Amino acid sequence: TPDASGWRSSGRYDHIEDLTASDLAWEWLRRNDAYDRDFETLVRADADPGFVTDRFDSIGGCDFPVDPQIAAPSAPVFWLPREDTSVVLLVDLPDLLAPGTDAQPEFSGADIRDGAREGRYFRHDLGNGQFVQLLRQGGDGSDAPVAALVPLGIDGFDRIVSVSRLLAALHGRAVPADPRLTRQRRARLRRMLQAFDGHRAGATQQEIAQVIFRVDHVPRDEWQASSARHAVKSLLRDARAMIAGGYRRLLHHRRSK
């Protein structure tokens, strides 16, 4: 799990403001002790690659084990398409839509991962430190014309948003923000991360409140009835739930029922 000793520095969490929901989900998974133990065990044991893939598929929802010491967005995390509905699925362009004079865009393939059962994973740089994950299925080469596959289930709306962001980047237009995170939700997630890191570093709940909410130290009886105490307890409760698997909800768009 990541070093939590610098949790008191608010600047340490500034990068949260620029992360996509997919990258932010990794920030939670890399704080999961079970994931950390499995990563260490599998890497030390030089386990069979197929076994490693199956194991991390089941515990994390990503297709390749990634060192939890690496923070987003530098960590080359590749979420399985069924987990992350922002993954853009690329397939061979049908002959019916064969391109004429329209040049095919070039993808900036970063952190390419070959050898997965599903195909070839890579991330395209959208600018401003953001990436979109692509999965190339089929095809004999990266230069072959491609099309984006959008299933017609309800998650298709999510993938259309991601395809739109990719198209904007490919054709030099302004890239819309990742709509899965509102400003308010992002701010709370940032506080949750900082509070949890403070807890892991051995800080008391009142110390966490002093750092995050900038409140003064108060006597014990006053602290027990303090609204800041209840706010910190809420942050820690929700942080534990996120680490235990709630991070997967970040990988989907929120829909009204």
Side-chain angles (χ1 to χ4, degrees):
T1 54
D3 178 20
S5 61
W7 74 275
R8 292 177 181 274
S9 171
S10 178
R12 178 174 179 170
Y13 301 89
D14 284 348
H15 70 292
I16 301 299
E17 304 300 325
D18 298 321
L19 295 181
T20 64
S22 302
D23 284 333
L24 192 47
W26 167 245
E27 284 298 311
W28 293 109
L29 176 57
R30 76 189 191 100
R31 287 168 168 81
N32 183 298
D33 289 335
Y35 180 94
D36 186 49
R37 289 193 298 269
D38 281 327
F39 178 84
E40 292 296 329
T41 299
L42 293 172
V43 170
R44 275 202 315 270
D46 194 23
D48 175 74
F51 173 77
V52 172
T53 296
D54 290 340
R55 180 63 178 151
F56 279 83
D57 179 340
S58 63
I59 67 171
C62 49
D63 209 359
F64 298 89
V66 178
D67 188 344
Q69 296 298 325
I70 306 176
S74 299
V77 180
F78 292 92
W79 299 103
L80 293 166
R82 68 171 180 269
E83 296 285 352
D84 187 349
T85 56
S86 76
V87 176
V88 176
L89 307 173
L90 300 177
V91 297
D92 290 338
L93 186 71
D95 292 338
L96 188 64
L97 299 176
T101 58
D102 188 21
Q104 285 288 293
E106 295 184 4
F107 297 105
S108 58
D111 303 317
I112 296 173
R113 289 291 184 273
D114 289 310
R117 294 180 298 249
E118 301 82 21
R120 186 176 192 236
Y121 285 105
F122 59 103
R123 300 196 300 170
H124 181 80
D125 187 356
L126 297 176
N128 295 324
Q130 297 203 21
F131 296 84
V132 62
Q133 181 181 317
L134 310 177
L135 173 58
R136 177 69 166 98
Q137 296 183 295
D140 298 326
S142 59
D143 295 332
V146 295
L149 176 65
V150 178
L152 296 182
I154 192 67
D155 287 343
F157 289 106
D158 297 6
R159 300 199 190 278
I160 287 174
V161 171
S162 194
V163 170
S164 296
R165 299 181 76 226
L166 174 62
L167 283 171
L170 290 174
H171 296 284
R173 299 185 181 182
V175 179
D178 186 341
R180 290 173 291 181
L181 293 174
T182 63
R183 181 176 299 178
Q184 293 80 3
R185 193 182 189 198
R186 188 186 293 274
R188 178 167 175 78
L189 289 167
R190 173 177 175 158
R191 283 182 167 178
M192 287 162 57
L193 281 169
Q194 189 173 9
F196 183 78
D197 285 350
H199 173 73
R200 283 201 304 121
T204 66
Q205 291 185 7
Q206 185 166 180
E207 288 173 331
I208 293 172
Q210 288 176 270
V211 171
I212 293 180
F213 299 118
R214 303 182 186 278
V215 295
D216 295 329
H217 179 82
V218 296
R220 185 177 184 277
D221 289 345
E222 186 176 340
W223 168 248
Q224 291 298 317
S226 168
S227 61
R229 173 175 176 266
H230 295 290
V232 169
K233 288 172 68 69
S234 176
L235 290 175
L236 291 174
R237 179 198 65 221
D238 292 349
R240 293 188 186 100
M242 193 68 71
I243 291 168
Y247 65 86
R248 293 175 189 257
R249 294 195 299 271
L250 293 174
L251 302 174
H252 294 258
H253 290 250
R254 304 175 78 179
R255 300 188 182 89
S256 57
K257 295 182 180 180

